[in-house]
Amino acid sequence: MASNTAQATQQPARHFNLVRCVTTCLLGLIVLVGLAVLIIWLVIRPQKLVYTLVNGSIQDFNLTNNHLNATLDFVLMAYNPNSKVSVYYDYIRSSVTYGDQTLAFNTIDPFFQPHRNTSRVESKLVALDLALSPSAFKQLRVEKSSGEIEVDVHFKSKIRFKVGIWKSNHRTLRIVCSSVTLHFSWYKHFEVIPCEEEL
Ligand SMILES: *[C@@H]1O[C@H](CO)[C@@H](O)[C@H](O)[C@H]1NC(C)=O
Ligand SMILES: *[C@@H]1O[C@H](CO)[C@@H](O)[C@H](O)[C@H]1NC(C)=O
Ligand SMILES: *[C@@H]1O[C@H](CO)[C@@H](O)[C@H](O)[C@H]1NC(C)=O
Ligand SMILES: *[C@@H]1O[C@H](CO)[C@@H](O)[C@H](O)[C@H]1NC(C)=O
């Protein structure tokens, strides 16, 4: 009887020890991984990429019978403020929208951006005999006669980060430059627009 009770109390105690050991080890591991992540983060200090639309123009504009011909040129400055992270832009697509109507889109050559670098991304978009919705046509005609139109410029890109020899997986980056005013008179200067990442 006596030995039976002793065994009964010993068994859970050993079991308890094992559980405690596993828990302690797991907690220790989590803390270590957390510390490693924190240290890597502190060393790399990732900073957000910065995008600014520095020029935009519209030429060869013709709006006839609900159809549009136009050539739009944009210059985006991409700034990578990171001192340890460089960026591969493996695929870039740009598009220009007027309200909810897409006027034109194109793809831009891939490029690699070193750290602490500003890259100039040029995009020429051509709308060729594009059929517009009647409301977009009317609105565009009114805006054209006022001498300027307002569009949104979008960039969608597949990017990878590079830190040392490590390269990340691809992620999709969406940037929008909203309410970009394009002037039809050549002497009016383009107003620089800060662009935002779309989530
Ligand atoms: C903006 O683009 C237009 C047309 O390409 C060009 O004439 C003009 O010089 C550019 N402006 C700047 C500040 O680069
Ligand atoms: C616009 O296009 C139409 C049809 O192609 C043409 O008849 C017209 O002359 C063009 N207008 C201008 C200003 O180029
Ligand atoms: C746009 O250009 C094409 C080819 O040059 C022409 O056939 C068409 O009529 C033009 N459309 C407009 C609206 O100007
Ligand atoms: C940024 O990198 C590109 C490509 O390597 C290079 O052509 C450009 O001159 C660099 N810009 C600056 C400001 O260093």
Side-chain angles (χ1 to χ4, degrees):
M1 278 295 268
S3 66
N4 265 359
T5 15
Q7 252 180 1
T9 48
Q10 251 175 19
Q11 204 68 13
R14 213 182 293 148
H15 192 65
F16 179 69
N17 273 345
L18 189 67
V19 168
R20 194 161 65 176
C21 177
V22 168
T23 318
T24 314
C25 287
L26 270 181
L27 275 179
L29 203 65
I30 289 170
V31 169
L32 273 182
V33 169
L35 266 178
V37 168
L38 182 70
I39 289 169
I40 290 172
W41 189 83
L42 282 177
V43 168
I44 297 175
R45 289 219 171 241
Q47 282 176 278
K48 277 189 81 160
L49 306 169
V50 182
Y51 301 93
T52 317
L53 201 67
V54 296
N55 201 0
S57 60
I58 185 163
Q59 288 107 30
D60 310 326
F61 187 91
N62 188 330
L63 195 61
T64 312
N65 294 333
N66 283 357
H67 284 73
L68 171 73
N69 277 355
T71 303
L72 301 110
D73 285 282
F74 297 101
V75 180
L76 181 79
M77 287 308 216
Y79 171 51
N80 174 11
N82 292 286
S83 56
K84 301 237 168 29
V85 186
S86 33
V87 190
Y88 288 96
Y89 289 85
D90 288 328
Y91 166 88
I92 315 173
R93 192 187 117 124
S94 75
S95 60
V96 56
T97 56
Y98 179 75
D100 53 12
Q101 179 130 31
T102 299
L103 299 184
F105 58 87
N106 71 355
T107 51
I108 296 164
D109 287 341
F111 68 97
F112 171 73
Q113 182 173 44
H115 46 79
R116 285 271 164 85
N117 173 276
T118 303
S119 294
R120 191 183 159 88
V121 179
E122 292 183 14
S123 175
K124 185 188 270 302
L125 298 121
V126 179
L128 185 58
D129 222 18
L130 176 81
L132 294 172
S133 68
S135 63
F137 173 75
K138 254 184 235 150
Q139 207 184 331
L140 200 51
R141 201 172 47 187
V142 171
E143 274 197 49
K144 160 75 166 101
S145 61
S146 80
E148 56 189 43
I149 66 166
E150 205 175 274
V151 295
D152 295 332
V153 185
H154 306 259
F155 295 87
K156 184 180 171 185
S157 181
K158 289 252 187 289
I159 63 170
R160 278 177 301 159
F161 296 112
K162 182 169 176 273
V163 181
I165 56 164
W166 176 82
K167 289 175 195 164
S168 76
N169 289 331
H170 276 119
R171 60 173 293 232
T172 304
L173 173 78
R174 286 192 178 80
I175 307 156
V176 61
C177 316
S178 307
S179 307
V180 178
T181 302
L182 299 172
H183 301 286
F184 287 95
S185 32
W186 57 270
Y187 54 86
K188 285 213 173 142
H189 286 296
F190 181 79
E191 193 192 324
V192 169
I193 300 274
C195 305
E196 277 161 24
E197 192 174 341
E198 273 182 309
L199 299 172

